[in-house]
Amino acid sequence: AQRVSNPQVTTVVAAPSAPPVGGNLLLVLLDDAGVDSVSAYGADAGAPPPPIDGLAADGVRFDNAWAPPRCAPTRAAGQTGRGPRRTGLGTNVSPPDGRNELGREQLTLAELAELSPWFDYQTALVGKWHLSTRSSPSGLLGPTAQGYDDFTGTSGIATTATLSAGQ
């Protein structure tokens, strides 16, 4: 096992005996879309969206999942693998000048990717972050402060940013 620490989180990573196959991860999170909206899940949505159907056919498809009915708690759970209340975001961040955000002590997918003993992941978040506001402690740096190498998108409060780690 490998022990990795950052100022806020201590994690123990147990290494399997052989490296895993693969090395790419793409997580697609859509607002206001249920399985009744995606043809890969059997919906008759008219013209099929080939990119989504292709990803579903060639990847891992979740057939039994639960998501909170609000944006920020869903994103916090997806980023951390924890229940929304355990992340401190049981409700949406307060726009536009609220100070609540996903806490730095929460380990995100991007920070977890940095711990990989086999792959040198490059991480990017494209789209809506909605886990901080321009007035919260990390401000619009939220995604890059939480481990992403690059971010292009919106905080969720109609403020768009393009950032790279270190900016």
Side-chain angles (χ1 to χ4, degrees):
Q2 172 186 355
R3 182 174 287 275
V4 180
S5 298
N6 76 22
Q8 303 294 327
V9 179
T10 299
T11 304
V12 176
V13 179
S17 58
V21 177
N24 294 319
L25 171 68
L26 174 65
L27 175 65
V28 178
L29 178 64
L30 305 171
D31 278 348
D32 302 320
V35 294
D36 59 339
S37 304
V38 181
S39 59
Y41 286 92
D44 183 16
I52 297 292
D53 285 345
L55 289 170
D58 295 335
V60 174
R61 197 177 85 173
F62 294 97
D63 289 323
N64 187 7
W66 174 86
R70 306 288 303 214
C71 177
T74 298
R75 282 174 161 64
Q79 284 294 328
T80 65
R82 303 181 77 200
R85 294 253 180 229
R86 290 181 179 254
T87 69
L89 286 176
T91 188
N92 277 340
V93 294
S94 303
D97 53 4
R99 297 196 44 81
N100 58 329
E101 69 177 356
L102 182 66
R104 291 284 296 132
E105 74 281 358
Q106 301 296 326
L107 188 67
T108 65
L109 289 171
E111 291 167 317
L112 189 59
E114 291 175 12
L115 302 177
S116 172
W118 301 285
F119 303 108
D120 183 19
Y121 283 105
Q122 301 298 307
T123 58
L125 190 132
V126 178
K128 185 171 150 186
W129 171 246
H130 205 192
L131 295 173
S132 62
T133 70
R134 64 178 171 244
S135 298
S136 57
S138 67
L140 298 179
L141 298 176
T144 55
Q146 294 275 174
Y148 283 94
D149 297 320
D150 295 292
F151 167 63
T152 299
T154 177
S155 67
I157 316 298
T159 303
T160 302
T162 299
L163 302 169
S164 291
Q167 285 186 320

